[in-house]
Amino acid sequence: MKLLLIHADVFEYEVKEKALPHPEEVNEERKKLKVNDVLVVFTTVEKDDEDDIDYVIAEASKAIEEVYNKVSPSAILIYPYAHLSTELASPSKALEALRRLEDKVRERGYVVFRAPFGWYKAFTLRCKGHPLSELSRTIKVKERKIEVEKEEETAEKSEYRLIEPDGTEHHIVLERIDEYEVLDKYPLLKQFILCEELGKKPHRPPEHIRLMRKLELVDYEPASDIGHFRFYPKGELIKDLLEEYATQIAIKDIGAMKIGTPMLYKLDEPDIAEQAAKFRERDYRLKVGGREFVLRFAGDFGLFRMMKTTIMTYRQLPVRMYELAPSFRLEQSGECVGLRRLRAFTMPDIHCFCRDLKQGMEEYARLFKYYAKLADAMGIDYVVVFRVVKSFYEENKEWIKEMVKGVGKPALIELLPRMKHYWIVKHEFQFVDSVGGNAQLSTVQLDIEDSERYGIYYVDEHGEKRGCIIVHSSMGSIERWIYAMLEQAAKDIVKGRTPKLPTWLSPIQVRIIPVSSEYLKHAIDVADALEKHGFRADVDDREETVSAKIRSAETEWIPYVVVIGKKEISQGVLSVRIRGKGIVEMKLEELVKRLEEEVGDKPRLPLYTPKFLSLKPRFV
RNA sequence: GCCCCGGUAGCUCAGCCCGGUAGAGCGCCGCACUGGUAAUGCGGAGGUCCCGGGUUCAAAUCCCGGCCGGGGCUCCA
């Protein structure tokens, strides 16, 4: 319900013609009215209000009373006014709501008039023009819907199992997790259960917020919306490396085809509207040229549209599609915490279109395996959670156990009594951060409902159109991986160990420090040699002492620091300070070999900051 | 959305309780030092104390209102 409240010196209306086929009946005396010193309440009853009229009436009368007390008019006039909203309630419900609102306000002892409903009316209004003379209120039905959903969830409770890396299965009851000795072996999993499943949230801000700024990676941007971040050069480099690696896994390992689809969709397109409806108030909407659009909150929008007109035959399946694109979700303002949850983020999504359940399960296991590879490459320890429809689990237990064994980690299994969503099995790689909070990284979902509902088909052996099994998946947002990487490092700080980033993701992999400007040329030569091999090396050419330069390199978490002076030049060796380990003398080739081993097949990008430290601006 | 906290130099913050010329560290600039594995020394520049109103001889400081930000809670097909 929308209310526009105007405190008027005078308000006068006169009924003209019918605006609806069956307007409210009015006697002669209600056809014309003139009131002085009146609070005019232009009122629009909206579609959503029908869900809980009692609530809306109660809130609206409260709002009116509140304004009344502030401006003290001598009367109230409720005026039906359809033009405050685009989603109107049905006329009968609207009239009912207005009548009840009138009664409710009158009950409270005010002088109330109500203009007739369903008529075109002429009116004149003289607004008093004081600061409180023009106000608006919006009343939304919400609370009750949520309660209803919660009831449904608790109605049928899930059972839980724990599968150890060797395949041993345990029944567990979440509320009694302290009683299971087996869980003591897996503290991360236990913490995850406490936080995610039992709702015991941490009370401290996660460490990555401090680190992302300290390392000059990422920062808040107050000029944008909440949850939209700025990336400094080093952060942008990490983001690009991760995107590159995600793409590499998608294309080379998984064999997907990379596509691109629009960011913006028409809300009046039926399939878009249907998907958007599921998301309720979590999407970004904008109006352009009188048309309503929605920003993509997932990759499905454009992909499914594309697949609708794609001709696929049974010989081509599984068809795997990959997209790496920004998504936007209007998460609640209070829920956006650093990089843990954003309103704008970059999603690598893969969808596999399969012939049958068997092929779907094969694809599922492949995705599972390669998503684990990404986490391993980043040095991130994660928790595995499967959510499975019970009957499916009983029949395919071994298939799940094989995956669990493959990653060598225990898995929590939630058994759902029956199908609740479109998937029959899904898993999540969950991360537990330095303060005990958690976030989902990647997920794979096996959708066994026929793809026909999306209008997606393939042609079978007999030339017939058939729906397929869809495996939906996301490698997890790039920003969230950065969160996990920083939090993983923060856990080392807590344990008193030297925090590090994986070498392939370090914005500067090698820092060369000449002992004095005399050795600058040699330092540049070493940096150039490393650069030729595809590594990122810069030179600290500032007029500082060696100690000060070492300190800078350490605070930047640079994995290799090379000091070059007289000794190194005469002996032809490098003095290499390895982060967290100490100083080792080695030849340039040995350093290159180490870097090759550590970076391996991961992407290599050049420095995003100047080669000479003296030329680098300070961002934070 | 709700609750709590915050906004003072580029950054991190002190000063506010108890009103009286605006502070520190880091960073930045300059000078000296040609340096050996976590901070060389000295000097300098830099401020709409978030905005508006009120109280007062006088407001960064007290009061009221607002804006912005952060955290927590709720939520997360």
Side-chain angles (χ1 to χ4, degrees):
Chain A
M1 176 175 284
K2 296 226 160 64
L3 304 175
L4 175 65
L5 302 110
I6 309 274
H7 187 194
D9 282 324
V10 58
F11 186 87
E12 183 173 16
Y13 73 77
E14 186 183 343
V15 169
K16 298 285 187 185
E17 292 163 43
K18 283 183 185 180
L20 293 171
H22 305 288
E24 180 184 6
E25 283 182 24
V26 276
N27 53 28
E28 278 309 307
E29 83 178 281
R30 270 188 78 207
K31 282 194 175 168
K32 257 188 170 181
L33 182 72
K34 182 177 179 183
V35 213
N36 293 317
D37 187 27
V38 59
L39 181 65
V40 185
V41 184
F42 291 101
T43 307
T44 310
V45 186
E46 297 179 280
K47 195 83 205 155
D48 285 349
D49 299 337
E50 295 180 9
D51 291 343
D52 193 349
I53 292 190
D54 293 332
Y55 173 78
V56 173
I57 302 284
E59 289 298 305
S61 67
K62 255 189 256 170
I64 293 169
E65 192 166 14
E66 191 192 317
V67 175
Y68 184 98
N69 290 334
K70 279 184 189 153
V71 301
S72 311
S74 52
I76 294 169
L77 172 72
I78 296 172
Y79 193 96
Y81 196 68
H83 316 293
L84 298 173
S85 173
T86 49
E87 289 168 10
L88 298 177
S90 68
S92 60
K93 295 276 184 189
L95 178 55
E96 184 201 337
L98 289 165
R99 280 187 170 138
R100 288 181 50 192
L101 180 61
E102 177 189 5
D103 294 343
K104 183 97 182 180
V105 177
R106 185 169 292 126
E107 266 170 39
R108 305 250 184 162
Y110 300 105
V111 179
V112 185
F113 302 96
R114 183 172 60 77
F117 183 86
W119 298 89
Y120 288 115
K121 297 176 285 290
F123 70 74
T124 49
L125 165 72
R126 186 183 151 77
C127 174
K128 280 189 176 285
H130 63 74
L132 291 174
S133 64
E134 299 170 66
L135 296 168
S136 72
R137 295 283 184 271
T138 299
I139 290 147
K140 277 188 190 156
V141 177
K142 214 171 5 178
E143 281 75 4
R144 224 176 110 205
K145 273 190 190 168
I146 292 161
E147 274 169 32
V148 171
E149 276 169 27
K150 272 188 180 160
E151 274 167 33
E152 270 173 13
E153 271 171 33
T154 48
E156 287 194 275
K157 272 192 102 178
S158 296
E159 289 172 44
Y160 291 87
R161 304 281 158 84
L162 171 72
I163 296 183
E164 294 198 74
D166 65 1
T168 316
E169 188 181 344
H170 303 266
H171 286 244
I172 58 172
V173 176
L174 293 188
E175 289 71 22
R176 302 211 313 254
I177 57 164
D178 287 326
E179 297 167 27
Y180 303 103
E181 272 175 39
V182 61
L183 269 175
D184 294 340
K185 283 195 274 183
Y186 313 114
L188 267 194
L189 185 60
K190 189 168 175 176
Q191 177 57 37
F192 166 77
I193 295 172
L194 279 171
C195 181
E196 177 70 18
E197 308 292 329
L198 300 176
K200 300 216 164 53
K201 302 284 177 187
H203 297 278
R204 281 180 294 152
E207 278 293 292
H208 75 277
I209 297 176
R210 186 176 65 81
L211 295 177
M212 75 191 190
R213 304 190 66 235
K214 177 189 127 73
L215 296 174
E216 277 191 313
L217 305 180
V218 188
D219 212 340
Y220 293 105
E221 177 47 80
S224 184
D225 191 17
I226 304 157
H228 294 241
F229 283 70
R230 64 161 77 136
F231 284 71
Y232 299 114
K234 292 184 197 175
E236 185 70 4
L237 172 61
I238 290 175
K239 182 165 180 274
D240 286 351
L241 284 164
L242 286 172
E243 290 183 3
E244 187 99 19
Y245 195 50
T247 302
Q248 187 177 314
I249 289 176
I251 293 175
K252 288 194 190 154
D253 292 333
I254 295 168
M257 293 179 262
K258 189 169 191 276
I259 58 161
T261 59
M263 216 82 75
L264 200 60
Y265 293 87
K266 291 175 197 160
L267 211 48
D268 50 17
E269 200 69 33
D271 41 352
I272 302 294
E274 192 189 331
Q275 277 173 288
K278 286 193 213 162
F279 227 66
R280 270 175 287 182
E281 289 175 12
R282 279 176 194 280
D283 46 19
Y284 271 99
R285 293 188 180 192
L286 56 153
K287 224 171 199 163
V288 182
R291 192 155 209 169
E292 246 198 312
F293 289 90
V294 60
L295 277 176
R296 57 186 287 163
F297 51 75
D300 308 24
F301 279 147
L303 172 70
F304 287 1
R305 296 274 310 169
M306 184 186 286
M307 298 317 286
K308 271 183 168 184
T309 54
T310 298
I311 312 288
M312 297 188 282
T313 79
Y314 70 100
R315 290 181 219 272
Q316 293 157 348
L317 302 188
V319 165
R320 305 151 177 141
M321 306 299 288
Y322 167 65
E323 182 165 14
L324 176 67
S327 279
F328 301 87
R329 295 185 181 186
L330 200 61
E331 303 291 2
Q332 290 187 63
S333 59
E335 192 48 45
C336 299
V337 178
L339 293 170
R340 189 153 65 192
R341 181 172 299 177
L342 301 180
R343 280 184 172 181
F345 52 94
T346 315
M347 271 299 224
D349 278 325
I350 294 182
H351 287 80
C352 303
F353 300 88
C354 305
R355 294 180 69 169
D356 48 30
L357 186 60
K358 182 167 168 281
Q359 197 173 59
M361 287 166 69
E362 283 165 17
E363 284 307 289
Y364 190 107
R366 277 167 60 84
L367 293 173
F368 183 93
K369 181 172 105 188
Y370 287 116
Y371 290 1
K373 178 179 167 179
L374 174 62
D376 291 340
M378 296 184 66
I380 285 167
D381 201 359
Y382 54 93
V383 165
V384 182
V385 187
F386 277 89
R387 306 192 194 271
V388 200
V389 173
K390 194 174 175 188
S391 56
F392 182 83
Y393 177 75
E394 300 300 346
E395 283 166 35
N396 301 285
K397 211 181 264 192
E398 287 311 310
W399 173 72
I400 289 180
K401 285 186 182 174
E402 278 309 307
M403 286 188 271
V404 173
K405 281 182 198 166
V407 293
K409 289 179 193 300
L412 176 72
I413 317 284
E414 177 183 3
L415 297 180
L416 304 154
R418 60 182 175 90
M419 219 138 128
K420 204 163 76 178
H421 309 290
Y422 55 84
W423 43 265
I424 194 160
V425 53
K426 78 160 178 171
H427 80 268
E428 297 151 11
F429 285 169
Q430 288 269 0
F431 181 74
V432 177
D433 65 31
S434 63
V435 294
N438 75 288
Q440 175 183 309
L441 296 168
S442 46
T443 181
V444 181
Q445 302 163 355
L446 183 60
D447 178 352
I448 57 145
E449 284 177 12
D450 214 290
S451 72
E452 273 181 62
R453 70 189 195 281
Y454 299 117
I456 298 171
Y457 303 91
Y458 72 99
V459 181
D460 72 7
E461 299 89 316
H462 313 292
E464 314 237 328
K465 254 170 119 186
R466 296 187 56 167
C468 42
I469 297 284
I470 304 176
V471 183
H472 305 250
S473 78
S474 168
M475 248 181 270
S477 91
I478 301 296
E479 292 80 1
R480 198 171 266 184
W481 282 104
I482 296 176
Y483 144 82
M485 177 182 76
L486 293 175
E487 288 291 330
Q488 187 74 42
K491 288 192 203 178
D492 279 334
I493 300 175
V494 173
K495 289 178 190 152
R497 294 201 287 250
T498 310
K500 284 181 219 173
L501 303 184
T503 301
W504 71 279
L505 287 168
S506 294
I508 294 151
Q509 294 165 319
V510 187
R511 162 79 38 91
I512 318 290
I513 297 178
V515 169
S516 74
S517 56
E518 207 180 310
Y519 311 105
L520 182 58
K521 179 158 184 320
H522 270 90
I524 296 170
D525 289 345
V526 173
D528 286 346
L530 290 165
E531 193 190 332
K532 281 207 183 73
H533 284 92
F535 300 114
R536 293 181 292 274
D538 67 1
V539 177
D540 192 343
D541 60 332
R542 296 171 307 163
E543 291 294 325
E544 295 287 345
T545 60
V546 173
S547 290
K549 292 182 191 178
I550 293 283
R551 187 182 140 86
S552 294
E554 291 287 348
T555 55
E556 282 183 66
W557 298 11
I558 296 171
Y560 293 97
V561 181
V562 176
V563 176
I564 291 192
K566 198 173 172 189
K567 195 180 84 187
E568 287 76 17
I569 292 166
S570 64
Q571 294 178 4
V573 291
L574 298 179
S575 167
V576 182
R577 188 181 163 109
I578 304 172
R579 181 163 182 79
K581 297 215 170 68
I583 297 159
V584 182
E585 304 237 312
M586 62 175 83
K587 291 199 178 294
L588 178 64
E589 301 79 64
E590 291 174 71
L591 177 58
V592 169
K593 192 166 159 257
R594 275 188 83 108
L595 289 165
E596 285 291 350
E597 281 168 12
E598 284 179 31
V599 174
D601 69 340
K602 265 77 88 189
R604 299 180 191 199
L605 290 172
L607 284 172
Y608 278 19
T609 46
K611 183 167 167 181
F612 297 107
L613 205 50
S614 66
L615 299 179
K616 192 186 92 63
R618 240 189 104 87
F619 295 100
V620 182

